Amino acid sequence: MENKRNAFTLQKKVMSGVYFHIPFCKQLCHYCAFHKSISLHAKNDMLECFKKELELKKNYLSEDHLSSIYFGGGTPSVYQPDKIQELINEVQKYWKIDSNAEITLEANPDDLSVKYLKQLSETSVNRLSVGIQSFHDEDLILMNRRHTGKQAYEAIKRAQYYGFDNISVDQIYGVPGLTMKKWKENLNLVYKLNIQHISSYHLMYDPNTVFAKKLEKGQLTEMDEEESYEQYKYLVDSARKNGFKHYEISNFCKENYISRHNSSYWQQKEYLGIGPSAHSYNFKEREWNIAHNHKYMKAIKEGKSFSEKEELNIYDRFNDLILTSLRTYWGLNLTSVKEQFGEKLYLHCLSKAEKYIQSNHIRKENSSLILSDKGVFVSNDIMSDFFYVEDE
Ligand SMILES: C[S@@+](CC[C@H](N)C(=O)[O-])C[C@H]1O[C@@H](n2cnc3c(N)ncnc32)[C@H](O)[C@@H]1O
Ligand code: SF4
């Protein structure tokens, strides 16, 4: 275990990634608050803006090579594979892409036709992240998804047939009407698919979503905490039994299939985000583009970028470290807290940890604090407690 951690630490030093936010969807899912538009007419214009933004930000990263590219959204699979490859080629103008770089495309099952997958298999994309959410049609209807459970299952099988051997699926639990029986069926089907990675999220009622409005009006009832916990527990236990490592709150992988791109967020590596609402981080500052397609494109066409920046002081960087490291199975390394942030914040961590170690929410392993399964379920509360507020 410790050796693997060290191997990862070494790998950490050379990771930089580029993220594209593709801000289009063909239909709006009722739970989703990610930035997107269902009007696709600006699709081609947007592609040109991505290219221009890459050029504008070519000096943002300190590394001249990339270990990952991630097309997220929205729905990146609204673009045909040749357009995705065009963007990868454009990235290549400014950075060397490592020969073993992870290049992920988020895709909706209904886009993964034979033709699409065949063409995609001829591009540099080597990892797929497919939004399944549930295999039960009544859940998919409630969520306003565009596909059935059967279509989703078949899309994964098809992707495997066309050579994709690094596939992740997204699933949501804690959804009203998702009984334990249905949740177990969902997970068992995922295990049967023999895929490499699972992202499993507890439903969040994000403001301004149809689900949040329905909840407010009493048209939806939130799952009670005990039932949610039971679903989460089943997820964690069954994933382990099926050979998945639980390496981040919502993420599980087979050996050697950690999502390298997402790990760079959790391990505080630098990344450049392209597209409306995309975030960037380069150790010194965080930057985020405006979450508005038209304003984003107008600014880029004028040779500017429409983003906000925040310079990070020591406490911001410390709180970022809490937020990212406590999410993972590597945990918060106290030695690096001392080295990077000094004695005061090191002691702050020790004093905050005490009660959680006693209550078995956190365990101390060598010099790291790691959330237990029980701790992961209430991780937001624990992380906010660890944050350092300057005038504390
Ligand atoms: C930004 S979406 C992109 C994926 C792709 N467009 C799709 O729907 O298949 C990434 C994932 O976030 C998850 N997600 C989005 N909103 C959520 C919410 N409110 N609660 C829980 N999970 C959510 C879904 O599992 C979704 O597949
Ligand atoms: S879950 Fe995916 S397809 Fe649905 S609205 Fe969000 S980004 Fe679009």
Side-chain angles (χ1 to χ4, degrees):
M1 172 87 84
E2 199 50 31
N3 279 346
K4 272 184 208 144
R5 288 215 172 105
N6 288 340
F8 203 91
T9 312
L10 286 176
Q11 198 189 21
K12 274 169 31 171
K13 294 200 168 68
V14 289
M15 284 167 66
S16 303
V18 169
Y19 169 81
F20 286 93
H21 187 83
I22 311 295
F24 302 109
C25 290
K26 293 176 183 163
Q27 187 167 303
L28 300 185
C29 305
H30 284 174
Y31 53 83
C32 181
F34 283 80
H35 171 68
K36 73 266 166 187
S37 157
I38 44 169
S39 158
L40 305 191
H41 73 271
K43 232 171 72 176
N44 290 337
D45 231 10
M46 184 65 77
L47 203 77
E48 295 311 310
C49 290
F50 289 157
K51 293 179 188 171
K52 197 143 186 219
E53 193 184 4
L54 279 170
E55 193 190 352
L56 284 172
K57 302 213 172 136
K58 64 184 178 201
N59 297 320
Y60 185 81
L61 298 171
S62 65
E63 299 273 349
D64 63 355
H65 62 103
L66 298 176
S67 53
S68 64
I69 302 178
Y70 194 100
F71 294 93
T75 307
S77 51
V78 298
Y79 283 115
Q80 289 305 306
D82 60 331
K83 299 292 178 199
I84 298 291
Q85 187 61 46
E86 239 177 77
L87 288 175
I88 299 172
N89 295 346
E90 203 68 18
V91 168
Q92 218 156 7
K93 282 190 187 167
Y94 309 110
W95 296 273
K96 289 185 212 88
I97 302 177
D98 291 349
S99 57
N100 62 348
E102 176 188 276
I103 306 186
T104 305
L105 182 88
E106 279 182 358
N108 284 37
D110 42 297
D111 288 327
L112 296 178
S113 63
V114 167
K115 184 169 169 235
Y116 193 92
L117 281 164
K118 204 160 172 282
Q119 289 177 2
L120 194 67
S121 69
E122 285 154 16
T123 68
S124 314
V125 171
N126 53 23
R127 184 171 183 272
L128 283 181
S129 170
V130 188
I132 299 286
Q133 323 310 350
S134 172
F135 286 113
H136 291 92
D137 291 348
E138 67 271 24
D139 300 336
L140 296 168
I141 291 167
L142 179 78
M143 295 182 199
N144 203 34
R145 296 288 295 177
R146 292 182 74 235
H147 54 88
T148 62
K150 185 164 179 273
Q151 281 171 331
Y153 190 85
E154 284 170 358
I156 302 288
K157 296 298 282 177
R158 220 166 19 248
Q160 289 171 325
Y161 178 81
Y162 282 101
F164 287 93
D165 56 5
N166 190 355
I167 298 182
S168 178
V169 301
D170 292 341
Q171 282 192 304
I172 308 185
Y173 63 100
V175 178
L178 182 74
T179 57
M180 194 61 191
K181 179 173 175 288
K182 281 165 52 179
W183 178 228
K184 285 184 179 176
E185 285 166 2
N186 280 348
L187 284 170
N188 290 336
L189 274 176
V190 165
Y191 301 138
K192 205 171 133 197
L193 278 166
N194 202 18
I195 46 145
Q196 290 68 31
H197 191 280
I198 302 170
S199 298
S200 205
Y201 305 103
H202 191 292
L203 174 66
M204 279 176 29
Y205 289 89
D206 286 316
N208 298 324
T209 59
V210 173
F211 267 18
K213 284 178 191 127
K214 282 191 169 178
L215 187 69
E216 221 175 270
K217 289 185 193 154
Q219 293 166 349
L220 274 185
T221 313
E222 206 167 348
M223 186 176 281
D224 70 56
E225 202 168 307
E226 211 173 299
E227 204 179 349
S228 289
Y229 186 68
E230 209 190 323
Q231 297 199 348
Y232 160 76
K233 246 335 244 164
Y234 184 79
L235 162 70
V236 170
D237 294 341
S238 65
R240 271 188 200 130
K241 275 190 204 127
N242 282 277
F244 287 87
K245 186 194 301 242
H246 186 192
Y247 72 99
E248 194 270 346
I249 294 177
S250 312
N251 286 282
F252 303 80
C253 70
K254 293 264 177 74
E255 193 68 41
N256 297 327
Y257 285 97
I258 277 172
S259 159
R260 255 191 278 159
H261 188 78
N262 289 336
S263 296
S264 63
Y265 299 151
W266 304 319
Q267 302 225 328
Q268 302 210 293
K269 299 293 103 192
E270 55 177 4
Y271 51 88
L272 170 64
I274 299 291
S277 85
H279 287 225
S280 303
Y281 172 74
N282 67 356
F283 306 118
K284 298 186 287 281
E285 54 191 23
R286 255 192 308 251
E287 187 172 328
W288 52 98
N289 286 347
I290 184 154
H292 190 289
N293 289 3
H294 178 68
K295 288 182 186 166
Y296 161 83
M297 290 198 294
K298 185 170 179 292
I300 296 290
K301 282 177 189 168
E302 287 165 4
K304 308 184 282 222
S305 78
F306 200 144
S307 57
E308 283 185 58
K309 270 187 198 163
E310 181 186 23
E311 275 193 34
L312 304 174
N313 65 27
I314 181 170
Y315 301 112
D316 296 326
R317 286 193 293 112
F318 170 78
N319 291 341
D320 270 358
L321 178 70
I322 296 297
L323 192 65
T324 48
S325 64
L326 278 180
R327 306 180 69 87
T328 68
Y329 100 120
W330 302 280
L332 174 67
N333 187 290
L334 293 169
T335 314
S336 49
V337 169
K338 203 177 198 169
E339 280 167 14
Q340 279 184 57
F341 300 103
E343 188 77 9
K344 184 170 107 177
L345 289 175
Y346 167 72
L347 292 175
H348 166 83
C349 290
L350 284 187
S351 84
K352 289 288 176 191
E354 217 173 279
K355 60 179 182 285
Y356 295 114
I357 293 175
Q358 299 246 329
S359 61
N360 290 328
H361 283 89
I362 286 184
R363 65 176 192 279
K364 193 158 179 259
E365 217 179 275
N366 301 321
S367 58
S368 293
L369 299 176
I370 300 165
L371 293 187
S372 64
D373 288 350
K374 191 172 149 191
V376 169
F377 193 67
V378 289
S379 53
N380 284 344
D381 297 339
I382 299 180
M383 290 187 295
S384 348
D385 194 22
F386 267 76
F387 287 160
Y388 189 87
V389 184
E390 241 176 294
D391 57 353
E392 198 173 6

